[in-house]
Amino acid sequence: MNSLLKIVPNVKKYNDYLFNINKGTNPVMLSGLTDASKVHMAYATRFYSEKPICIITYNEMQAKKILKDMAFFEEKAEYFPKRDVTSFDYVAESKESLYKRISILNDIKQNKIGIIVTTIEAAMQKMIKKDILYKKVFKIKVGDTIDVEKLKETLVALGYERYDLIEGRGQFSVRGGIIDIATSEKHGVRIEFWGDEVDSIRRFRIESQRSTTMLDDIEIYPAFELLLEDNIDNVCDRILKNDYTNSIKENVIQDVQMMREGEFINKIDKYFDEFYSEYDFILDYLPNDCIIFLDEIEKIKNRTENIRRDNEHIIKDLVEKNRFVPEILKKTTGYAQFIEKTLHKQTVYLEKKDIGFVDKQSMHAKRNGYSFSYREVNFFRS
């Protein structure tokens, strides 16, 4: 697919666009694009500007299509999924989704991400503050003197669970002077102590338990994004201070009891405001030089309105049934707040055709617009 990339520098219009991207012109609009050419232009921008990019689209189906088209190019794109909040048991999401999200967030923190694809729903969701999430990240070097008990406490604070023998991601084990930490589904880090001194650090395969690489140092990042900002007892006290009806209060007391016993991850969206005094969005996590691509801004805006209406219907239904309303649903982020977040990043609008008035920002983008002429080829009998 490098041949496709070699085409765009020969187009004067594209060179003008890239010049403005490198100059920092913001926002910019590219119109006249097909679905495939949106990916072509986004990847070419990444390739020639050497900046990370994040493509935000209007639903998961379109996001998966973008990922599929992006696979034709050499660099792998990562999908950042939304958190699922159900209206029944209020379980936030599966661990698989949690692991996917934290993997991308950790890679962003380490500047390892080139291309991210996500949906407007994920971009609108409140998240733990970046400073809080990475507050307890620590680096271990061979020869360091470390209090092993404090290391165990730090691993728990980072979301790791203690097991006798690690079998999967997000776990750690302690066997004599050896601490194993599972950093992915297949690999872990083995830290061997001589007293309180770090004697060796090795990577190993979880399945075989065999070491693969000797390391001089290692940084330990969070296992989940849903970490505690405050002591769980203080969180529970704040929850109990709120007013509830008698039928709901009984359920709240049960939740608080579970949280005091350590089962709080699936309760965070339910009591979000008591867990976190402030919050961020995925856009806050992205590096300052990251270019945001908005795929069909009118569809994105309509999707934000649909999300708001859906949440209102869920809230109304729960209130009528005298059931608890998750706090994450009560104060849904709107389109205006989302657009305000994009003002702090260089933004490119991807459009199939010239658009009318959507908002003030898109009109500014239209003034810095470039219209291309792509057409789709429809195949007959493959």
Side-chain angles (χ1 to χ4, degrees):
M1 286 298 154
N2 283 335
S3 57
L4 280 177
L5 294 177
K6 291 175 182 176
I7 294 172
V8 285
N10 298 322
V11 180
K12 182 180 182 304
K13 196 180 296 183
Y14 177 81
N15 279 325
D16 291 343
Y17 153 73
L18 191 62
F19 173 79
N20 280 319
I21 287 292
N22 290 326
K23 190 175 69 171
T25 302
N26 188 43
V28 176
M29 182 176 291
L30 303 180
S31 59
L33 307 178
T34 62
D35 282 338
S37 63
K38 290 176 190 174
V39 176
H40 181 204
M41 295 300 284
Y43 182 78
T45 304
R46 154 75 180 157
F47 186 85
Y48 287 108
S49 70
E50 298 182 346
K51 295 180 180 180
I53 67 172
C54 176
I55 304 174
I56 301 176
T57 190
Y58 45 88
N59 61 33
E60 288 185 21
M61 186 180 296
Q62 178 68 1
K64 289 177 181 178
K65 188 178 188 306
I66 291 172
L67 286 166
K68 185 178 178 181
D69 289 343
M70 194 66 76
F72 283 97
F73 298 99
E74 291 180 358
E75 190 166 353
K76 183 182 177 184
E78 295 288 349
Y79 175 60
F80 186 75
K82 66 181 178 66
R83 291 205 314 273
D84 292 321
V85 184
T86 68
S87 58
F88 297 100
D89 198 27
Y90 312 117
V91 178
E93 61 257 293
S94 68
K95 282 193 174 183
E96 184 181 350
S97 177
L98 280 172
Y99 288 144
K100 181 65 176 175
R101 286 171 61 93
I102 194 62
S103 290
I104 293 174
L105 295 177
N106 289 344
D107 283 346
I108 292 173
K109 177 68 175 175
Q110 299 172 79
N111 296 316
K112 292 181 179 179
I113 284 288
I115 302 172
I116 298 175
V117 179
T118 190
T119 61
I120 180 60
E121 192 166 358
M124 289 169 59
Q125 286 182 328
K126 298 174 184 176
M127 301 169 59
I128 183 174
K129 289 280 290 182
K130 180 171 64 173
D131 294 342
I132 300 298
L133 180 60
Y134 293 109
K135 185 178 181 180
K136 293 185 180 294
V137 168
F138 63 97
K139 186 174 184 177
I140 297 178
K141 295 185 295 183
V142 174
D144 283 351
T145 300
I146 295 175
D147 186 327
V148 176
E149 290 303 317
K150 286 186 178 180
L151 175 58
K152 295 176 194 175
E153 292 174 6
T154 303
L155 288 171
V156 172
L158 287 171
Y160 292 89
E161 296 180 87
R162 183 169 178 175
Y163 284 74
D164 292 333
L165 183 68
I166 61 173
E167 298 175 347
R169 186 168 182 165
Q171 302 173 5
F172 78 97
S173 69
V174 181
R175 296 175 288 112
I178 297 174
I179 295 182
D180 289 345
I181 307 169
T183 53
S184 70
E185 281 298 323
K186 297 181 179 180
H187 297 93
V189 174
R190 179 163 290 156
I191 305 169
E192 192 165 353
F193 289 85
W194 180 263
D196 287 339
E197 184 179 324
V198 178
D199 188 53
S200 67
I201 304 173
R202 291 170 285 173
R203 289 198 186 278
F204 71 97
R205 294 185 184 277
I206 293 174
E207 186 177 7
S208 65
Q209 294 290 308
R210 291 189 175 182
S211 300
T212 57
T213 312
M214 296 293 293
L215 302 171
D216 294 325
D217 54 63
I218 186 70
E219 277 190 301
I220 306 299
Y221 284 84
F224 296 107
E225 72 181 273
L226 301 175
L227 303 183
L228 290 175
E229 178 184 9
D230 195 5
N231 183 284
I232 190 63
D233 289 326
N234 294 336
V235 173
C236 292
D237 290 342
R238 287 195 291 269
I239 292 172
L240 291 174
K241 284 180 181 179
N242 294 330
D243 292 326
Y244 307 101
T245 62
N246 289 333
S247 58
I248 290 179
K249 190 170 184 178
E250 185 178 341
N251 180 257
V252 171
I253 291 172
Q254 291 177 359
D255 286 344
V256 166
Q257 184 177 350
M258 291 175 65
M259 285 188 280
R260 290 191 194 275
E261 293 172 357
E263 298 180 30
F264 61 85
I265 289 179
N266 62 349
K267 306 296 181 186
I268 288 181
D269 283 332
K270 191 173 181 180
Y271 304 101
F272 191 89
D273 292 343
E274 279 69 42
F275 274 92
Y276 304 121
S277 56
E278 296 180 292
Y279 52 84
D280 274 340
F281 300 93
I282 183 60
L283 289 177
D284 296 305
Y285 280 77
L286 299 175
N288 292 331
D289 63 342
C290 183
I291 303 174
I292 307 299
F293 287 85
L294 300 180
D295 177 31
E296 302 289 336
I297 192 62
E298 193 165 2
K299 290 182 180 179
I300 286 176
K301 185 177 183 180
N302 290 338
R303 179 60 183 149
T304 62
E305 289 301 309
N306 290 337
I307 292 169
R308 182 185 60 80
R309 283 194 292 267
D310 289 345
N311 286 344
E312 286 176 354
H313 291 152
I314 293 171
I315 291 170
K316 183 180 178 182
D317 184 56
L318 292 173
V319 170
E320 288 175 352
K321 294 177 179 177
N322 199 26
R323 298 184 64 176
F324 193 95
V325 178
E327 291 180 349
I328 200 74
L329 296 179
K330 290 181 182 178
K331 301 173 183 177
T332 306
T333 307
Y335 176 76
Q337 191 174 358
F338 165 71
I339 288 297
E340 186 177 346
K341 281 289 180 184
T342 66
L343 300 179
H344 306 292
K345 295 280 193 297
Q346 192 168 25
T347 308
V348 178
Y349 289 69
L350 300 173
E351 301 293 334
K352 287 186 176 180
K353 55 185 179 181
D354 287 336
I355 60 173
F357 182 79
V358 176
D359 56 42
K360 187 176 180 180
Q361 189 70 356
S362 63
M363 289 299 100
H364 289 315
K366 199 170 181 179
R367 293 192 189 101
N368 301 324
Y370 297 88
S371 180
F372 292 87
S373 181
Y374 279 84
R375 67 183 179 91
E376 290 183 348
V377 177
N378 296 315
F379 292 97
F380 177 68
R381 291 183 180 177
S382 300

